[in-house]
Amino acid sequence: MLDANPDDLSVSITEELVPWTTPKSPCRASIDFDGLLDPPLVLQDDPTECGGQLWPGGMVLAKYLLRCKMDELKNKT
């Protein structure tokens, strides 16, 4: 919310605008991308560390690559 004073451009952000989320605990996930991977990929999901989350967009991209580029990806690390 903007302050009533037009010369003051500060913004006040409250939990009403950005609700507090409950922190997640680290967990392990086994993902086969709808049967495209055998054996499945085992991932450590740790949202307490930078880059430790499974992102929906990344999951969609990975599934697309496995469906369309499986032959090119075989034996790659």
Side-chain angles (χ1 to χ4, degrees), residues 13-45:
I13 299 175
T14 66
E15 283 190 36
E16 184 178 307
L17 179 62
V18 182
W20 179 258
T21 58
T22 305
K24 293 183 192 176
S25 298
C27 65
R28 206 170 264 225
S30 178
I31 300 171
D32 69 357
F33 296 99
D34 297 331
L36 294 170
L37 281 181
D38 185 32
L41 187 62
V42 178
L43 301 172
Q44 179 70 31
D45 184 13

Side-chain angles (χ1 to χ4, degrees), residues 2-77:
L2 291 176
D3 194 302
N5 180 351
D7 294 327
D8 183 8
L9 297 178
S10 65
V11 176
S12 175
I13 299 175
T14 66
E15 283 190 36
E16 184 178 307
L17 179 62
V18 182
W20 179 258
T21 58
T22 305
K24 293 183 192 176
S25 298
C27 65
R28 206 170 264 225
S30 178
I31 300 171
D32 69 357
F33 296 99
D34 297 331
L36 294 170
L37 281 181
D38 185 32
L41 187 62
V42 178
L43 301 172
Q44 179 70 31
D45 184 13
D46 188 354
T48 62
E49 295 183 15
C50 182
Q53 291 185 345
L54 301 177
W55 295 100
M59 301 297 282
V60 170
L61 177 60
K63 193 182 292 185
Y64 167 80
L65 290 171
L66 288 169
R67 281 193 180 131
C68 298
K69 306 287 185 178
M70 180 66 87
D71 291 335
E72 294 173 41
L73 295 172
K74 283 187 179 178
N75 301 317
K76 302 287 189 230
T77 58

